Amino acid sequence: MIKDISRRALLAAPALLSLGAGTCASAQLTSTPQRAPSNILVAYFSRTGNTRVLAGTLQRTLLADLFEILPSRPYPDDYEQTVEQARQERDSGFEPPLKMTVPGMATYETVFLGFPIWGETAPPVIRSFLSMHDLLGKTVRPFVTHGGYGLGNSMTVIAAHARGAQIEPPFSMEADQERRTLNEVRTWLSEIEL
């Protein structure tokens, strides 16, 4: 029975369980129950779950608060539609409105900021998050997932939008399953006769 569980579901389970504990009704802010408030925030945006897994691990290890960055209007479920929408937003400089902002941002000294690389840069919703929160004097520690192309210009984006913050070197890791899967399916379809 256990072999029927996908690797992604198995990896995501701890992060999803941590999201359920202590979630505020009015926000996507999660704090570990029965402890003093944290001065560390783990804020992240994740489309496929790769960055969410990292965020959950950081939150549990650091006993930090967790905040999921969400646009007010979700990105499409379809991968290629999302890529096109993100490209248009990036090219026009559009910063999509957020579903909500972090309550009590002033109480945090360190912000671990997680996101995937989209189109060789930070997703537009990350620009929105940085623009909507005063990070002056805070330490920002980026953690980034990417499809094999590295960080792109994402650190330049963070520096431009998180004015006055101390930006630490990022942690990055390749996590390109969705793109790789689409490419493999397309290759397979090009080899068969329909």
Side-chain angles (χ1 to χ4, degrees):
M1 178 106 182
I2 191 105
K3 62 185 173 188
D4 294 335
I5 299 174
S6 73
R7 179 178 175 268
R8 182 180 299 258
L10 192 58
L11 287 172
L16 294 175
L17 290 174
S18 73
L19 290 174
T23 302
C24 300
S26 62
Q28 290 94 10
L29 186 64
T30 303
S31 183
T32 304
Q34 301 174 346
R35 68 166 177 84
S38 179
N39 66 352
I40 301 173
L41 176 67
V42 177
Y44 73 96
F45 171 70
S46 185
R47 182 180 180 280
T48 62
N50 293 318
T51 309
R52 180 177 292 114
V53 170
L54 295 176
T57 299
L58 289 169
Q59 184 242 348
R60 287 185 307 281
T61 303
L62 299 169
L63 300 177
D65 292 339
L66 186 67
F67 181 82
E68 183 174 11
I69 301 166
L70 296 170
S72 62
R73 186 173 149 244
Y75 284 99
D77 288 335
D78 182 82
Y79 174 79
E80 291 176 336
Q81 289 175 356
T82 297
V83 168
E84 178 57 23
Q85 180 177 331
R87 184 195 62 75
Q88 290 174 8
E89 290 175 352
R90 178 199 67 205
D91 292 351
S92 69
F94 179 70
E95 294 180 3
L98 298 179
K99 186 171 184 178
M100 62 186 29
T101 58
V102 176
M105 179 60 100
T107 63
Y108 298 105
E109 296 173 11
T110 301
V111 177
F112 283 79
L113 179 63
F115 56 89
I117 295 296
W118 282 9
E120 299 179 8
T121 192
V125 71
I126 293 300
R127 293 193 317 262
S128 299
F129 176 82
L130 294 170
S131 295
M132 295 295 299
H133 296 90
D134 181 8
L135 299 176
L136 180 67
K138 299 186 186 308
T139 299
V140 176
R141 296 184 176 276
F143 60 100
V144 179
T145 57
H146 61 85
Y149 299 110
L151 298 171
N153 76 343
S154 61
M155 295 305 103
T156 303
V157 169
I158 291 175
H161 287 77
R163 291 187 180 96
Q166 178 180 329
I167 301 167
E168 296 294 326
F171 170 81
S172 69
M173 71 178 274
E174 186 173 348
D176 69 344
Q177 293 92 339
E178 190 168 24
R179 182 181 52 82
R180 188 179 303 166
T181 299
L182 285 174
N183 289 341
E184 287 183 20
V185 168
R186 286 189 182 116
T187 300
W188 172 60
L189 289 174
S190 71
E191 294 170 352
I192 63 175
E193 293 182 31
L194 295 178

